Amino acid sequence: LLRVSIEGSRAIVDLRTNTLICANEDTLIPSDVKVIDSYVFYNCGFNEFIVPEGVEVIKNNAFESCKNLEKLILPNTLKEIGDSAFESLKISTITFPENLEIVGAKAFAKSLLVVVNPTLFFSNPILDVIIIILLSNLIIFPLLSFIFP
C-alpha cells in the first residue's frame, strides 16, 4: 500500500491515508497528499517552503530544526499543525490559514517569529485565542470566556 511517486518527486506516500511518510529536499509533494508525517523534513536545508494546497495536517516535528527556513507559506486547506512542527526555524512572519483549527504545543518554539498575521484569530469565531509573543516564541492559549467576559 506504499508507493514511490512516479511524478519524479522521490516521495513515499501511504495510499491508505494519503500521508507523505518519506521525502528529501528535492521532493515535490504529490497533489494527493493530505498529511505530512512526523519528521519528514526534519533538519532540512530549505530556505523557503510552500506547503501545497490540499495538505490538511502537518504532524509533530515535521519541519523541526530546518534552521535555514526563513519563508513558509501555509495552504488554505491546512486544519492542523502538530506539536513542535516548526520548532527552531528562522521564520519571522507567518500567515495562518482561515481553516486552521489546531496548533500544537511548541509548534513555533525557538523560532524568530515576532510578527503574526492575526486574521484567523480575530475573525474566526470558532477559534478564540490569545497570542502572546515572548522571547521569539509563539505561545497560543485558548481564551477562557469566564476569565475574560
Side-chain angles (χ1 to χ4, degrees):
L1 295 173
L2 298 178
R3 73 168 161 99
V4 177
S5 173
I6 59 173
E7 297 174 23
S9 66
R10 298 182 183 180
I12 299 176
V13 178
D14 182 335
L15 293 176
R16 297 168 295 181
T17 60
N18 289 329
T19 299
L20 179 68
I21 59 172
C22 185
N24 64 28
E25 292 180 28
D26 297 326
T27 295
L28 300 173
I29 298 176
S31 60
D32 57 346
V33 167
K34 301 285 183 215
V35 179
I36 298 176
D37 209 358
S38 299
Y39 297 98
V40 168
F41 293 108
Y42 181 86
N43 200 25
C44 69
F46 301 128
N47 292 321
E48 176 178 318
F49 194 86
I50 299 171
V51 180
E53 289 297 327
V55 172
E56 297 175 359
V57 177
I58 298 173
K59 290 199 171 182
N60 301 350
N61 312 90
F63 290 85
E64 182 183 352
S65 297
C66 294
K67 298 192 185 298
N68 295 325
L69 190 55
E70 295 178 350
K71 183 175 181 182
L72 176 67
I73 299 175
L74 301 174
N76 289 325
T77 53
L78 189 64
K79 295 178 183 177
E80 179 178 343
I81 297 173
D83 298 346
S84 301
F86 298 105
E87 185 172 331
S88 299
L89 306 184
K90 280 188 174 179
I91 60 170
S92 59
T93 63
I94 193 161
T95 300
F96 291 102
E98 290 183 21
N99 293 324
L100 187 63
E101 298 170 0
I102 298 170
V103 177
K106 298 182 181 179
F108 294 91
K110 301 178 190 171
S111 73
L112 300 176
L113 194 62
V114 293
V115 178
V116 177
N117 177 334
T119 303
L120 161 76
F121 302 112
F122 299 109
S123 67
N124 185 340
I126 296 169
L127 182 63
D128 293 325
V129 296
I130 297 173
I131 300 173
I132 300 174
I133 301 171
L134 295 170
L135 303 173
S136 301
N137 289 318
L138 175 68
I139 303 169
I140 300 176
F141 296 102
L143 179 60
L144 303 175
S145 59
F146 64 90
I147 294 177
F148 301 102

